[in-house]
C-alpha cells in the first residue's frame, strides 16, 4: 500500500508546487493560460504523436477500449443528469453539466502522469483514446443536452460546428498524424524524433504545475450538495461504471482494461469550467474541480489499491 501512495505522491507534490508558486507570486496567475496552451497545443500533441507513431496501428486504435470507456461514461452521464433533474430538482442546464462533469476525466494532465509510471508508452495511447471519446462523444453529448435546455439556436447546427472544431483540434490532428506514420511504416529523422520526444516529455510536469496554479483564488463556498454530487459521481461512480462496462462487454487487452478504469478515476478536466461559461455554470464547474482534485489523492489511491488486490496492477 505504501508503494501505491509513493507512486501518486510526486504527482500531487507538483500540483502543490504550482499552487504555492502562483500564490507567492513567483509565477504570475496571468501566465497560466499561456502555459496551458503550450501543453494542449504543443507538448501534449507531441507526446501523443510519438506514442501513436511508435506502436502498431492495431494496438493504438483500440476500439474495444473506446467502446467500453464510452459505454460506461455515457451511461453515467445519463444517470447523473436524471438524478440531478428528478431527485434533486436542479435546472436542466445544471443537470447537463452534472452529467458532463461526472464523466470528463483529466486524462491528459493527471491521468498521464500517474499511469505513465505504471504502464509506460501504453499510458499515452490510453490518453489518446480517452480524449477521442471525450472530444467526439462526451463533450458533444453534454453540450447538446445543454442546448436543448436553452431552446436557443439549432442544436444540430451547433453540433456540426462543434465537430468541425474538433477535427482541427491539435490533439486530434496529432493522433491522426501518428496513426498515419505508423500505418505507412515511416521513420522520422533522428533529430526530429528527438526534438518531438523532448517537447512531449515536458507535458506532464507543466500540466500538473498549471493545475496547481489554477486552484489559487478558487472558492468552494455554497452549493455543497451540487459540488458533492459531481465529485462523488466523477471520483467513485465513473471508474465503477467503466469497470461495469468492461465486465459486460467482450474481453480485450487486460492492460488497456486497467488503464480505462484508471483514466475514469481521474478528477474532471479543467476544460469543464470553460465549457460551462456559456451556460452560466462556471461557478459549479470550477468549485467541483477544486474539490475533486483535492480529494482525488485519496480516491485514486483507493482505486489503485482495489486494482492491485484484484491482480490488475503489480508493484
Amino acid at each position: 500500500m505504501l508503494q501505491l501512495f509513493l507512486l501518486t505522491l510526486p504527482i500531487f507534490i507538483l500540483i502543490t508546487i504550482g499552487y504555492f508558486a502562483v500564490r507567492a507570486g513567483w509565477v504570475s496567475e496571468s501566465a497560466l493560460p499561456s502555459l496551458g496552451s503550450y501543453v494542449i497545443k504543443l507538448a501534449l500533441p507531441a507526446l501523443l504523436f510519438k506514442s501513436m507513431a511508435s506502436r502498431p496501428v492495431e494496438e493504438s486504435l483500440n476500439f474495444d477500449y473506446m467502446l467500453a470507456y464510452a459505454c460506461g461514461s455515457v451511461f453515467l452521464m445519463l444517470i447523473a443528469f436524471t438524478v440531478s433533474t428528478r431527485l434533486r430538482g436542479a435546472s436542466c442546464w445544471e443537470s447537463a453539466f452534472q452529467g458532463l462533469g461526472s464523466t470528463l476525466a483529466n486524462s491528459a494532465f493527471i491521468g498521464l502522469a500517474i499511469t505513465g509510471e505504471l504502464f509506460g508508452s501504453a499510458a499515452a495511447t490510453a490518453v489518446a483514446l480517452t480524449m477521442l471519446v471525450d472530444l467526439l462523444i462526451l463533450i458533444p453529448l453534454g453540450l447538446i443536452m445543454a442546448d436543448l435546455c436553452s431552446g436557443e439556436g439549432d442544436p444540430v447546427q451547433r453540433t456540426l460546428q462543434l465537430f468541425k472544431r474538433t477535427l482541427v483540434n491539435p490533439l486530434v490532428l496529432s493522433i491522426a498524424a501518428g496513426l498515419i506514420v505508423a500505418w505507412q511504416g515511416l521513420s522520422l529523422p533522428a533529430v526530429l524524433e528527438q526534438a518531438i520526444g523532448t517537447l512531449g516529455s515536458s507535458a506532464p510536469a507543466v500540466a500538473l504545475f498549471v493545475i496547481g496554479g489554477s486552484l489559487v483564488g478558487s472558492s468552494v463556498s455554497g452549493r455543497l450538495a451540487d459540488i458533492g454530487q459531481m465529485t462523488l459521481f466523477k471520483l467513485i461512480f465513473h471508474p465503477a461504471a467503466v469497470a461495469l462496462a468492461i465486465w459486460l462487454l467482450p474481453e480485450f487487452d487486460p492492460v488497456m482494461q486497467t488503464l480505462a478504469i484508471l483514466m475514469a478515476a481521474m478528477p474532471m478536466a479543467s476544460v469543464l469550467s470553460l465549457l460551462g461559461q456559456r451556460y452560466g455554470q462556471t461557478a459549479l464547474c470550477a468549485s467541483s474541480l477544486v474539490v475533486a482534485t483535492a480529494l482525488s489523492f485519496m480516491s485514486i489511491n483507493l482505486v489503485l489499491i482495489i486494482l492491485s488486490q484484484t491482480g490488475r496492477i503489480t508493484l
Side-chain angles (χ1 to χ4, degrees):
M1 185 179 298
L2 178 60
Q3 287 178 292
L4 293 174
F5 280 99
L6 292 178
L7 173 69
T8 56
L9 186 58
I11 310 304
F12 290 92
I13 287 177
L14 284 173
I15 293 175
T16 303
I17 290 173
Y19 175 84
F20 283 107
V22 172
R23 187 175 180 85
W26 297 344
V27 176
S28 172
E29 192 171 353
S30 62
L32 295 178
S34 297
L35 289 173
S37 294
Y38 163 78
V39 173
I40 293 297
K41 296 180 180 179
L42 291 172
L44 187 56
L47 181 65
L48 296 178
F49 170 81
K50 184 178 180 181
S51 174
M52 291 294 176
S54 61
R55 298 168 66 90
V57 174
E58 58 270 18
E59 290 184 17
S60 298
L61 205 57
N62 192 319
F63 289 108
D64 291 325
Y65 178 103
M66 296 178 69
L67 177 62
Y69 192 88
C71 286
S73 300
V74 171
F75 171 74
L76 186 67
M77 178 182 287
L78 297 177
I79 293 295
F81 180 86
T82 303
V83 168
S84 187
T85 52
R86 299 293 178 86
L87 299 183
R88 301 188 55 247
S91 69
C92 193
W93 282 347
E94 179 182 319
S95 299
F97 276 87
Q98 282 284 359
L100 191 56
S102 299
T103 55
L104 195 60
N106 196 328
S107 57
F109 289 3
I110 301 178
L112 177 61
I114 291 176
T115 58
E117 294 290 329
L118 290 167
F119 300 101
S121 62
T125 300
V127 169
L129 296 173
T130 302
M131 297 187 83
L132 285 177
V133 174
D134 289 345
L135 292 168
L136 299 178
I137 299 176
L138 299 183
I139 292 177
L141 178 59
L143 295 184
I144 286 171
M145 291 182 352
D147 279 334
L148 290 175
C149 292
S150 68
E152 299 176 0
D154 184 356
V156 176
Q157 185 63 30
R158 280 197 37 84
T159 303
L160 291 176
Q161 292 174 352
L162 185 63
F163 275 116
K164 288 179 182 178
R165 290 198 299 270
T166 298
L167 293 178
V168 296
N169 187 301
L171 298 169
V172 175
L173 292 176
S174 65
I175 293 170
L179 289 172
I180 291 173
V181 169
W183 176 48
Q184 293 295 321
L186 302 176
S187 297
L188 298 178
V191 174
L192 180 59
E193 185 174 358
Q194 183 177 0
I196 292 174
T198 302
L199 182 63
S201 64
S202 69
V206 178
L208 294 171
F209 183 92
V210 170
I211 289 176
S214 300
L215 299 180
V216 175
S218 299
S219 173
V220 297
S221 59
R223 308 186 67 175
L224 292 180
D226 301 326
I227 296 170
Q229 179 191 329
M230 188 181 291
T231 301
L232 177 65
F233 271 67
K234 181 68 205 71
L235 297 182
I236 304 299
F237 294 161
H238 192 199
V242 172
L244 177 62
I246 290 171
W247 181 61
L248 292 174
L249 293 171
E251 292 187 11
F252 58 99
D253 183 359
V255 170
M256 297 306 292
Q257 290 180 354
T258 303
L259 281 166
I261 296 170
L262 282 174
M263 289 299 168
M266 300 302 131
M268 59 281 294
S270 53
V271 71
L272 181 68
S273 297
L274 300 178
L275 295 173
Q277 285 179 352
R278 182 176 183 271
Y279 303 90
Q281 300 301 317
T282 303
L284 169 64
C285 296
S287 299
S288 300
L289 175 63
V290 172
V291 173
T293 301
L295 294 179
S296 64
F297 177 73
M298 293 181 289
S299 63
I300 291 172
N301 276 288
L302 174 61
V303 173
L304 287 170
I305 290 171
I306 294 173
L307 291 173
S308 66
Q309 293 296 320
T310 57
R312 287 185 172 273
I313 294 177
T314 303
L315 296 177

